[in-house]
């Protein structure tokens, strides 16, 4: 129903920056919110940042607050994640996700609230 494609991952040194993008296609007209999650080897998938599609509201995990910025371009059906002051602990596969309902009891920071996921893009931060 909805397809998501992440781009922009790569290898950077600590303190550097990367900008990820997530392009959505398919039945995107009813999108309620978009989110970025990440998963490092041996760790559970964790919430990174989220954004509402129709209002200017964003929210972040404490671990990235002040360093990462999520934004969107509704006309292009694209969400971005600008990552600054990167740390080695930011190394993970980053996933874009979409919630079309906005009604999940699990809330905006839970992966259970997002039904559609991209394949992921690798971000590696060296020290």
């Amino acid at each position: 129903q909805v397809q998501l494609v992440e781009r922009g991952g790569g290898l950077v040194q600590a303190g550097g920056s990367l900008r990820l993008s997530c392009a959505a296609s398919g039945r995107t007209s009813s999108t309620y919110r978009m989110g970025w999650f990440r998963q490092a080897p041996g760790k559970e998938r964790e919430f990174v940042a989220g954004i509402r599609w129709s209002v200017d509201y964003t929210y972040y995990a404490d671990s990235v607050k002040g360093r990462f910025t999520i934004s969107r371009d509704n006309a292009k059906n694209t969400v971005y994640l600008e990552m600054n002051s990167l740390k080695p602990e930011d190394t993970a596969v980053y996933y874009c996700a979409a919630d079309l309902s906005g009604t999940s009891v699990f809330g905006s920071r839970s992966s259970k609230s997002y039904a559609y996921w991209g394949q992921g893009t690798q971000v590696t931060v060296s020290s």
Side-chain angles (χ1 to χ4, degrees):
Q1 186 176 11
V2 175
Q3 296 81 46
L4 305 174
V5 179
E6 302 97 337
R7 295 176 180 174
L11 174 64
V12 297
Q13 294 183 344
S17 300
L18 280 176
R19 189 181 189 226
L20 308 182
S21 65
C22 171
S25 61
R27 300 180 183 180
T28 60
S29 60
S30 60
T31 300
Y32 185 79
R33 54 173 153 244
M34 302 285 289
W36 286 97
F37 293 76
R38 66 186 182 186
Q39 187 168 24
K43 300 183 66 177
E44 295 183 349
R45 186 169 299 185
E46 65 175 344
F47 168 80
V48 176
I51 186 169
R52 288 275 301 278
W53 198 247
S54 299
V55 298
D56 191 16
Y57 177 73
T58 59
Y59 42 100
Y60 301 88
D62 290 341
S63 59
V64 306
K65 190 175 298 182
R67 299 188 299 118
F68 291 11
T69 302
I70 187 171
S71 61
R72 54 171 163 77
D73 186 335
N74 297 50
K76 296 182 180 296
N77 291 317
T78 301
V79 176
Y80 305 92
L81 183 67
E82 183 178 351
M83 304 182 293
N84 300 312
S85 301
L86 283 163
K87 306 174 181 179
E89 49 263 45
D90 294 318
T91 296
V93 176
Y94 283 70
Y95 297 91
C96 178
D99 174 15
L100 272 59
S101 71
T103 60
S104 174
V105 298
F106 297 103
S108 61
R109 297 170 180 260
S110 173
S111 61
K112 298 179 181 179
S113 299
Y114 297 80
Y116 301 94
W117 295 80
Q119 190 171 352
T121 185
Q122 176 70 47
V123 173
T124 302
V125 184
S126 62
S127 59

